[in-house]
Amino acid sequence: MVARALASPLPIAWVTADSAYGQEWRFRRMLEETGVGYVLAVPKSQQVHAIGRIDFAIAQAPEDAWERLSCGDGAKGPRVYDWAAARLPPIADFDGEQPTHERWVLARRSIARPDEIAYYLAYTPAGTTVSEMVGVAGTRWAIEEAFQAAKNECGLDQYEVRRYTGWYRHSTLAMLADAFLAAQAAQSGIKGAAETVPPPSHHSPWRRSGDCWQLSTRH
């Protein structure tokens, strides 16, 4: 389904998804080969090329690597978290001598509960800022809220079919109805609806480079 969307004339610039997709290297490679940027959630045990486990790498981030940013508006206002991002070394046998894209690790930390950290891998056009990556990561909530609204208001999940064609027709009509209701609401001004991480080493791989952080290769 994703490959079909990428092959369509739709202007797709970014892909974001939960860790079920983010941890799959074949999915990430497919996006990279088509030149589409992504910000994908991954589990804390995710292995990163030349770096190791992503949670170990993030645990070594200096405190000034974290910055407080909003990843979009929620039902109760802006969703504000602390975010840390570091650019990864290029992959020599894939990126070439003059890569047009960069790979990043990204982490989201709860302000009220700092021990709650979510992890991401990102592939972005060169020059993409951390705030832009954070914005892409935040769009996932809007998508999930849209699906929930479609279930509540338009019966997206209330089907009794056994074949793909029937499911496809039902889902398409439900999402069209939800899009119509969302457009009407917008015009009316109505708002929508136990592992442990080892302590940081004394030789942190985090290095400041200009206006961003980089992670050096693990030795």
Side-chain angles (χ1 to χ4, degrees):
M1 184 169 62
V2 174
R4 187 172 64 183
L6 294 175
S8 75
L10 293 172
I12 300 173
W14 293 96
V15 171
T16 184
D18 61 24
S19 59
Y21 294 91
Q23 66 184 332
E24 177 52 60
W25 70 267
R26 296 179 185 85
F27 181 67
R28 300 196 306 270
R29 180 56 60 92
M30 177 187 71
L31 297 175
E32 292 172 6
E33 289 176 344
T34 55
V36 174
Y38 62 70
V39 180
L40 303 173
V42 294
K44 65 181 181 180
S45 59
Q46 179 69 41
Q47 293 289 328
V48 182
H49 175 74
I51 299 299
R53 277 181 55 136
I54 191 170
D55 59 342
F56 292 2
I58 295 298
Q60 299 179 73
E63 192 54 38
D64 57 349
W66 295 89
E67 55 181 322
R68 194 153 294 180
L69 297 168
S70 169
C71 57
D73 291 335
K76 298 181 180 179
R79 290 190 173 100
V80 179
Y81 295 88
D82 288 333
W83 297 81
R87 193 165 53 207
L88 293 168
I91 300 175
D93 61 348
F94 183 75
D95 293 329
E97 295 182 358
Q98 295 182 327
T100 59
H101 287 68
E102 299 168 334
R103 292 181 181 80
W104 296 76
V105 293
L106 181 69
R108 186 194 77 224
R109 186 175 69 185
S110 169
I111 297 173
R113 295 178 290 275
D115 58 326
E116 293 184 4
I117 300 177
Y119 304 93
Y120 302 83
L121 290 177
Y123 181 75
T124 71
T128 301
T129 64
V130 174
S131 60
E132 288 174 317
M133 285 187 279
V134 167
V136 174
T139 59
R140 227 184 78 218
W141 277 302
I143 295 169
E144 291 175 353
E145 287 174 350
F147 275 113
Q148 188 59 49
K151 291 177 181 179
N152 294 338
E153 305 297 333
C154 305
L156 177 63
D157 58 345
Q158 297 174 18
Y159 54 84
E160 295 182 6
V161 296
R162 295 180 180 273
R163 297 181 181 275
Y164 173 79
T165 301
W167 170 85
Y168 190 87
R169 289 171 177 171
H170 175 89
S171 298
T172 301
L173 290 173
M175 293 306 295
L176 283 173
D178 184 62
F180 172 79
L181 292 176
Q184 291 295 106
Q187 292 176 359
S188 302
I190 303 173
K191 294 186 178 179
E195 290 176 295
T196 59
V197 176
S201 69
H202 296 294
H203 302 286
S204 173
W206 288 65
R207 299 286 182 271
R208 188 83 183 182
S209 177
D211 58 353
C212 71
W213 291 88
Q214 292 182 328
L215 273 171
S216 58
T217 303
R218 181 182 61 182
H219 296 289

